[in-house]
Amino acid sequence: MEATNVGWLSFPMHYESLNQDLAIRRFCPARRLHEIEQEQLAGVGEYWDEDEALTLHEIELWSPTHTTSLLAASEEVKFVDSFFNTDCHDVEHNDSSPEMHQASSSFDDDLDLMENFSMAIDDLYGDIPMMIGAGDELDQLSSSCEDVVLEEMQVLAVEEVGHGVDQGLHLVHLLLACAEAVGCRDTQLANSVLTQIWSSSASLWGDSLQRVSYCFAMGLQSRLSLLQSVNANGTFTNTGATDVSLVTRQEKTQAFHLLHQTTPYISFGFMAANDAICQAAQGKDSLHIIDLGMEHTLQWPSLIRTLASRTEGPPKLVRITGIIGDQDLSELESSMKGVIDESSLLGIPLEFRVITKPATPFLLTRETLNLREGEALFFNSIVHLHKYVKESRGSLKAILQAIKKLGPTLLTMVEQDANHNGPFFLGRFLESLHYYSAIFDSLEASLPRNSIERMKMEKLHYAEEIRNIVAYEGSNRIERHERADQWRRQLGRAGFQVVGLKSTSQARSMVSVYGCDGYTLASEKGCLLLGWKGRPIMLASAWQVHSTSSS
């Protein structure tokens, strides 16, 4: 990954230590998994041969007896420490440095390997639920896993006494040990390790490491409750799994507003999307914005003010259609009334309409959306499109193709830049632990330890995301975040091409307002990335229908 603006704060490559492929191969007892990945990818590239490929069931039941030993104790400590060693954000990069190019290439290659492998499985097998083994195979798996994890826990005890490993590092070791036990379906061992986690100061009121450990422990506990009740065919049951939220909608809204006020993560997305819309709307008098998954009106006042200050004059009409699903209509309309009143004072007629159904290809038609001739059509998605990503990606593909048929001027998209949609539980666990530990570290730097606001953001917003990523499979897992390169592939296949964002100076000014040195910015292949101490967190991009597709 490289930054196109040398003068910017850019992403340092110290995160090359996050080699997800290495983590799965060397830390997980089922190291054979990596060998399967390599063999399949080397043989047929991005898509597997159905006759030769193993099923997910077979891969997940691969016996740990085929593996070699775990990481040495010193390597394991170094590996775990890399999750939280984010103090290198002030390193300056020299684009002419061959070492930097080599590190960047190696890092990107590792990510591409995991993304391509995930795509290969997803495209081939579709939305396959996690399988639960049975009989002698499962007994052998659980027994082998228990031996491995017990051995690891003995190493932990020696490390803690002999080397003085601090409490935070010990917590992370326990989390990984518990995740391994969960991955092996050994619920008894996993519950035993989980008890140690609760007694090791995992808390919503501790430091950032203790707080993120608490959230991941909650996710593991939820997954264990699902593992204890399976269908006759060995898949996760939907009984008890439909309650995917532990907080009310009002609490979620409150946490989102706090996140918008306290950190740049949300404001960054609004700013980038609005700037892209204004750039594409130059010279156009009638605008129609379709907001996918609209849950709030925070984005629109800034857009209206910018449109009102255009050199050629404000547009004659702006229409905003919110597709809200089961969102509270009265609260949204009340909030939007203030935006309409302000728009009127600025000389821009603003029409607002709500569609109380989730976005589907059948909903995204000219008739349903009430499209009019001569208006510039925009689609806007703020951390929403990832909810249409499935293992097969069929749902996302259908949504994107329906949008393309309507010939929009622009599609703006803001998403979490993370790989949380891999087909294997342990890989997702490792990646998400890296990702959310960086976020919790940023909140630690922005708010005092005893902040009620920080606690609400972590418990009511981020803890829910973590729980969904860790605990659920199939249709109940909706937090399927992808990396920038994966979004490029999916949007490219659907007939879109990226439109380079030009809001670099605005982004830099916006981030500086929050008065925290840890936030980093980078521009990559037309997309803007906002991160914390070099770890990418949010991705902002804009897309138009590819010229060859439109013709």
Side-chain angles (χ1 to χ4, degrees):
M1 184 185 299
E2 60 182 27
T4 57
N5 295 282
V6 180
W8 274 34
L9 289 172
S10 59
F11 292 135
M13 291 313 303
H14 69 274
Y15 263 99
E16 65 184 295
S17 59
L18 169 54
N19 184 328
Q20 188 166 279
D21 166 44
L22 176 67
I24 293 176
R25 182 175 75 252
R26 302 189 65 185
F27 195 87
C28 177
R31 188 182 303 181
R32 176 58 180 160
L33 167 63
H34 172 68
E35 298 173 9
I36 298 170
E37 298 173 14
Q38 294 286 359
E39 291 168 4
Q40 297 290 357
L41 288 174
V44 294
E46 187 176 356
Y47 296 97
W48 292 9
D49 188 322
E50 290 192 38
D51 295 330
E52 297 180 359
L54 295 174
T55 66
L56 286 179
H57 189 189
E58 291 169 331
I59 292 174
E60 290 177 346
L61 288 178
W62 203 281
S63 172
T65 59
H66 291 282
T67 68
T68 55
S69 62
L70 289 173
L71 286 173
S74 60
E75 283 187 298
E76 185 177 332
V77 171
K78 181 180 178 181
F79 172 73
V80 174
D81 186 55
S82 73
F83 276 80
F84 305 96
N85 181 21
T86 58
D87 296 328
C88 304
H89 64 277
D90 55 345
V91 176
E92 293 185 2
H93 293 169
N94 186 341
D95 284 352
S96 63
S97 169
E99 292 82 2
M100 180 58 65
H101 284 292
Q102 182 178 4
S104 177
S105 175
S106 173
F107 182 74
D108 290 338
D109 288 344
D110 290 333
L111 294 180
D112 286 341
L113 172 63
M114 292 305 299
E115 290 171 353
N116 288 337
F117 179 59
S118 175
M119 289 170 57
I121 295 177
D122 294 349
D123 289 337
L124 179 59
Y125 294 110
D127 198 359
I128 302 176
M130 179 76 79
M131 301 299 293
I132 308 297
D136 294 338
E137 285 182 302
L138 182 57
D139 292 339
Q140 180 185 12
L141 178 65
S142 297
S143 176
S144 300
C145 181
E146 183 172 0
D147 292 341
V148 169
V149 177
L150 285 176
E151 178 182 348
E152 178 181 320
M153 291 173 65
Q154 291 172 357
V155 171
L156 293 180
V158 172
E159 287 176 351
E160 191 168 29
V161 174
H163 304 287
V165 177
D166 63 30
Q167 193 174 52
L169 189 60
H170 182 60
L171 262 177
V172 182
H173 278 287
L174 289 174
L175 280 174
L176 297 179
C178 187
E180 286 186 328
V182 170
C184 292
R185 315 317 195 273
D186 192 332
T187 57
Q188 182 177 356
L189 179 59
N191 276 310
S192 175
V193 181
L194 198 57
T195 300
Q196 295 189 50
I197 293 174
W198 296 131
S199 63
S200 298
S201 299
S203 167
L204 282 175
W205 296 100
D207 59 28
S208 62
L209 190 53
Q210 292 170 327
R211 300 197 308 270
V212 78
S213 296
Y214 177 91
C215 294
F216 274 89
M218 289 293 293
L220 288 169
Q221 182 171 279
S222 294
R223 189 175 182 91
L224 280 173
S225 68
L226 295 178
L227 284 174
Q228 291 168 354
S229 178
V230 297
N231 291 325
N233 63 357
T235 61
F236 272 120
T237 180
N238 284 327
T239 303
T242 54
D243 180 21
V244 296
S245 177
L246 297 177
V247 300
T248 66
R249 184 173 296 279
Q250 183 179 7
E251 289 174 326
K252 285 184 178 181
T253 300
Q254 181 186 20
F256 189 88
H257 280 254
L258 286 172
L259 192 63
H260 175 249
Q261 296 167 6
T262 309
T263 76
Y265 296 132
I266 304 301
S267 298
F268 163 78
F270 291 164
M271 178 276 304
N274 286 346
D275 186 73
I277 292 173
C278 289
Q279 291 283 341
Q282 289 182 3
K284 296 178 171 59
D285 289 331
S286 181
L287 282 61
H288 188 181
I289 302 169
I290 310 294
D291 193 7
L292 299 172
M294 186 177 189
E295 296 183 356
H296 47 74
T297 63
L298 298 172
Q299 180 177 355
W300 307 122
S302 176
L303 175 69
I304 296 300
R305 294 170 198 144
T306 304
L307 290 174
S309 63
R310 292 195 315 185
T311 55
E312 72 264 33
K316 296 179 180 178
L317 176 65
V318 174
R319 303 171 61 208
I320 297 178
T321 297
I323 300 178
I324 68 171
D326 60 350
Q327 176 74 12
D328 184 356
L329 180 59
S330 60
E331 180 181 346
L332 194 62
E333 287 183 331
S334 174
S335 178
M336 198 65 191
K337 185 179 184 302
V339 181
I340 293 173
D341 292 342
E342 180 179 0
S343 181
S344 178
L345 292 175
L346 294 173
I348 301 178
L350 175 61
E351 296 180 4
F352 177 59
R353 178 187 175 220
V354 169
I355 298 179
T356 56
K357 295 179 181 179
T360 64
F362 302 103
L363 181 73
L364 301 178
T365 64
R366 297 189 64 86
E367 294 75 23
T368 305
L369 299 177
N370 189 26
L371 303 189
R372 302 172 186 173
E373 291 296 329
E375 65 183 6
L377 179 62
F378 297 87
F379 277 86
N380 181 71
S381 173
I382 306 295
V383 292
H384 186 74
L385 273 181
H386 70 266
K387 296 179 181 179
Y388 297 100
V389 176
K390 305 297 180 184
E391 281 91 345
S392 65
R393 291 181 172 80
S395 178
L396 175 65
K397 181 179 180 181
I399 291 291
L400 293 175
Q401 289 179 339
I403 292 174
K404 188 188 76 169
K405 284 183 180 180
L406 298 175
T409 301
L410 201 69
L411 163 64
T412 51
M413 184 190 75
V414 176
E415 284 290 344
Q416 297 93 327
D417 187 47
N419 180 17
H420 296 159
N421 193 39
F424 299 101
F425 167 70
L426 188 59
R428 292 202 310 270
F429 188 90
L430 295 173
E431 168 69 15
S432 57
L433 185 55
H434 261 281
Y435 180 81
Y436 287 102
S437 66
I439 292 179
F440 277 52
D441 187 51
S442 72
L443 296 177
E444 177 91 346
S446 303
L447 294 166
R449 180 70 56 83
N450 60 352
S451 169
I452 298 295
E453 290 76 14
R454 176 200 52 73
M455 184 273 291
K456 287 182 178 180
M457 287 184 286
E458 292 175 350
K459 180 181 179 181
L460 305 178
H461 183 81
Y462 287 119
E464 281 293 282
E465 287 187 0
I466 292 170
R467 179 170 174 259
N468 189 267
I469 293 168
V470 172
Y472 292 94
E473 298 294 341
S475 60
N476 288 318
R477 181 157 60 88
I478 61 174
E479 301 297 343
R480 296 173 177 267
H481 310 141
E482 301 273 16
R483 289 197 179 277
D485 284 345
Q486 187 68 288
W487 283 111
R488 288 192 197 94
R489 294 187 186 100
Q490 297 304 319
L491 285 155
R493 289 171 180 171
F496 289 88
Q497 63 183 13
V498 70
V499 177
L501 295 180
K502 303 176 182 179
S503 50
T504 56
S505 60
Q506 296 97 311
R508 192 189 319 179
S509 299
M510 182 272 299
V511 170
S512 67
V513 169
Y514 291 86
C516 197
D517 294 336
Y519 293 111
T520 51
L521 286 166
S523 176
E524 180 191 14
K525 300 179 182 178
C527 302
L528 287 181
L529 296 168
L530 172 65
W532 175 255
K533 294 184 179 180
R535 170 76 201 204
I537 302 296
M538 300 299 296
L539 157 74
S541 59
W543 305 82
Q544 64 184 11
V545 176
H546 199 284
S547 55
T548 57
S549 300
S550 59
S551 61

